[in-house]
Amino acid sequence: ISVQFPMFKTMPAWQLFTAGIANSLVLVVGALAATLLFALVLGVLQSSRSFLLRWPARALTILLQSSPVVLTLVISAAVALALFPYSSAVAIGAAIVALGLMNGANAGQAIAEAMHTLRTEQGGPPAPTVELFGRAVSRSATQIVSFLVNAAKGTPIASFIGAPELLSALTDITSFASGRASTYSLLLVFYVCVVMVVVWLCDKLRIRLERRQMVTA
């Protein structure tokens, strides 16, 4: 068994490797932020009492839930490239938007369902909208955390549209060097560690939101 790490042997390979790690971390952080942002926005829209706000948001959520991840990613990249010339930042941005939309739509639906449940359970005068929405976010903490983790785990798919994250970088490295098995094993270790950190942070977020729910209940 020969274990080889070609990214440590030449300067071009090392530069591709380090750039891939940096881009992957940016992609993960961006996907998490976009997922949380879209979850809150779509949660607000789907919880609205206005028909004109609620139903377009629900239609968009159903569309995203029915669309394959790769197709959503390709459409996001196509729209981005129609507006801007191709660059690494554009490809990463398109991937962040696609991942954030797909996971944020599901999390936003969970928030809207929690909001509906709270309105049904509530007796007496209705609580202020901001307070009720905060309680809905706290109640749907488990679902939000689940989709945040899914967003982090789905970031390697960004290589499909040419985003220069770690999977794409290691594919380029193995195209002119040997050690494919050890190289992709290192990729697996990297993403396992990243997802473990994301799960740990999201668990902290979940506990905080659930404690807030207990306090406001």
Side-chain angles (χ1 to χ4, degrees):
I1 300 175
S2 177
V3 178
Q4 300 180 19
F5 295 106
M7 70 287 298
F8 300 136
K9 295 181 178 179
T10 64
M11 185 56 66
W14 173 251
Q15 291 174 345
L16 283 172
F17 179 66
T18 53
I21 290 177
N23 290 331
S24 291
L25 293 177
V26 169
L27 186 56
V28 169
V29 173
L32 292 175
T35 297
L36 190 57
L37 176 62
F38 284 123
L40 296 175
V41 171
L42 291 174
V44 169
L45 294 177
Q46 292 185 67
S47 303
S48 174
R49 297 187 183 276
S50 172
F51 176 87
L52 296 177
L53 294 177
R54 185 173 65 253
W55 283 105
R58 289 184 178 179
L60 176 62
T61 298
I62 293 172
L63 179 64
L64 290 169
Q65 290 173 341
S66 305
S67 175
V69 178
V70 173
L71 180 58
T72 304
L73 194 67
V74 169
I75 293 174
S76 177
V79 172
L81 293 177
L83 298 174
F84 308 100
Y86 175 81
S87 67
S88 299
V90 170
I92 292 175
I96 287 174
V97 171
L99 291 169
L101 269 175
M102 295 206 67
N103 292 283
N106 290 306
Q109 184 180 30
I111 295 173
E113 291 172 353
M115 190 81 155
H116 176 73
T117 303
L118 287 170
R119 283 172 174 165
T120 303
E121 295 174 352
Q122 189 176 0
T129 303
V130 174
E131 177 187 345
L132 194 64
F133 183 76
R135 291 172 59 191
V137 171
S138 299
R139 178 168 289 196
S140 55
T142 301
Q143 293 93 326
I144 294 173
V145 165
S146 175
F147 291 114
L148 285 172
V149 174
N150 283 343
K153 290 167 64 177
T155 51
I157 200 173
S159 63
F160 190 83
I161 59 171
E165 47 78 57
L166 188 56
L167 174 58
S168 179
L170 292 182
T171 300
D172 291 339
I173 292 172
T174 55
S175 67
F176 62 83
S178 58
R180 186 178 296 268
S182 55
T183 299
Y184 286 114
S185 296
L186 183 60
L187 174 69
L188 177 62
V189 171
F190 171 80
Y191 273 109
V192 166
C193 293
V194 168
V195 172
M196 286 175 63
V197 172
V198 170
V199 168
W200 180 75
L201 293 174
C202 288
D203 192 56
K204 296 293 185 182
L205 175 64
R206 178 187 59 80
I207 292 172
R208 183 173 181 179
L209 290 175
E210 289 179 348
R211 285 178 179 172
R212 179 182 174 183
Q213 169 67 17
M214 293 174 62
V215 170
T216 56

